[in-house]
Amino acid sequence: METGSADRLIGQRAGEAWPLDGARAGDGAERTGARRSAGEGRGAGDGRSAGDGHQPAVVAEPASDRLDGRVALVTGAGSPDGIGYAIARRLSALGAEVAIVSTTRRIHERAGELNVTGFVADLTVEAEVGALADAVAEQLGAVDVLVNNAGLASKASPEVLRPVAQLSLDEWRTEIDRNLTTAFLVSRAFVTGMAERGWGRVVNLAATAGPVNALPTEAGYAAAKAGVVGLTRALAMELVADGVTVNAVAPGIIHTAASTFVELKQGLGTPIGRPGTPDEVASAVAYLCTPAASYITGQMLVVDGGNSVREADYR
């Protein structure tokens, strides 16, 4: 990781020189204000009654599946074969202006491929998350859609696979920080602005491991992903009156570049008979990010080919 480099949080977009100075035509307060229609303020979209201040107003926003004029941030999108990359591509196709972030400079290659803006940051570090929030706001404007996908292990920080009895406290903290603390820090940095504007979408990537099932030697990962679901539900209730929905998507066995042979073989044993794809996860995430999903909050959507509901193999 390149912690401390002066330009690590300067966004790079395809076709633009490195580094950027942060200035774009139409950005800033004028651009942000232009996105808001009279019907999108707190009075219309926050679910509060103008009469007694207690009863929610029965006002449903239009069931659009588009994100034109919205700014979306996707974390953990450094791999071209990963779930984060597929999510960023899908949100961009829906009309959103997308920012992506990972811990290394390869994120700028992905940004060029997707024609989006890339940032480098270590999301387990509070100060870097704050600097990321400032940089995104300066270059793209206020974030409307947040997808917390960061969490996968890397060559520099491999997954910890040990029984609890053999797990060190540092290894435990690594798994919790990578998979849960990142979602907490990034959500905290952006949800206040969403609530103030009266509209927002947060989707957290959980997993079936933890909330649905568990495997030996993966206690840290399972605990963190179960924690992601708890965070999702608590945050959803905190923001439910402010026009902001918060949901989780829990993928099962998904075929990515990081998949092992054993994992892919397990994928063949699912009821559907194959592992899932990043695009299949991305489509579920993208729906939860749209105005059409305005009545869904605090939920976990499992994307595992039916694997978690099968009681036993049939011979």
Side-chain angles (χ1 to χ4, degrees):
M1 293 188 257
E2 298 132 334
T3 305
S5 61
D7 57 2
R8 68 184 278 114
L9 287 170
I10 302 294
Q12 184 179 16
R13 190 176 178 88
E16 295 178 332
W18 171 263
L20 296 177
D21 61 5
R24 283 194 194 180
D27 281 354
E30 180 179 347
R31 178 187 177 285
T32 303
R35 294 206 309 270
R36 313 296 169 193
S37 70
E40 292 177 316
R42 293 180 63 91
D46 66 359
R48 295 181 184 178
S49 166
D52 55 22
H54 296 288
Q55 296 298 321
V58 184
V59 179
E61 62 181 307
S64 170
D65 61 359
R66 296 288 302 174
L67 289 169
D68 300 284
R70 303 290 185 184
V71 173
L73 173 63
V74 181
T75 70
S79 170
D81 302 306
I83 292 172
Y85 186 88
I87 293 169
R89 180 172 56 207
R90 182 63 62 98
L91 296 182
S92 182
L94 292 179
E97 185 163 9
V98 177
I100 56 178
V101 59
S102 76
T103 58
T104 67
R105 286 184 180 276
R106 70 174 180 166
I107 196 67
H108 299 306
E109 297 175 19
R110 305 291 84 79
E113 294 160 3
L114 294 170
N115 194 31
V116 301
T117 305
F119 297 88
V120 179
D122 181 350
L123 302 180
T124 66
V125 179
E126 184 176 13
E128 293 207 26
V129 173
L132 171 67
D134 291 341
V136 173
E138 180 181 351
Q139 296 186 46
L140 300 181
V143 169
D144 305 293
V145 174
L146 171 63
V147 179
N148 283 308
N149 175 67
L152 285 179
S154 65
K155 290 181 179 178
S157 181
E159 185 178 5
V160 179
L161 297 173
R162 289 191 223 286
V164 170
Q166 300 172 17
L167 197 63
S168 73
L169 182 57
D170 284 343
E171 289 170 334
W172 170 266
R173 285 173 172 162
T174 295
E175 288 298 305
I176 297 299
D177 284 349
R178 178 165 51 207
N179 293 288
L180 177 57
T181 305
T182 52
F184 159 69
L185 289 174
V186 179
S187 295
R188 189 182 65 174
F190 290 99
V191 295
T192 298
M194 294 180 187
E196 289 174 348
R197 294 185 301 275
W199 197 94
R201 297 286 184 268
V202 179
V203 180
N204 296 319
L205 269 291
T208 52
V212 178
N213 51 41
L215 293 171
T217 76
E218 294 188 358
Y221 179 81
K225 289 302 186 180
V228 166
V229 177
L231 172 66
T232 298
R233 290 171 176 161
L235 191 57
M237 294 300 95
E238 291 177 9
L239 299 172
V240 71
D242 295 311
V244 180
T245 65
V246 187
N247 292 287
V249 170
I253 300 170
I254 306 300
H255 188 178
T256 71
S259 299
T260 66
F261 175 78
V262 172
E263 289 170 338
L264 296 179
K265 186 176 179 180
Q266 290 171 341
L268 298 177
T270 64
I272 285 185
R274 61 170 176 82
T277 68
D279 280 334
E280 288 172 320
V281 179
S283 65
V285 172
Y287 170 70
L288 293 173
C289 291
T290 65
S294 58
Y295 203 58
I296 304 172
T297 196
Q299 304 303 310
M300 180 182 74
L301 174 60
V302 176
V303 182
D304 72 344
N307 205 41
S308 58
V309 299
R310 179 176 57 186
E311 183 174 354
D313 290 329
Y314 292 95
R315 303 287 184 218

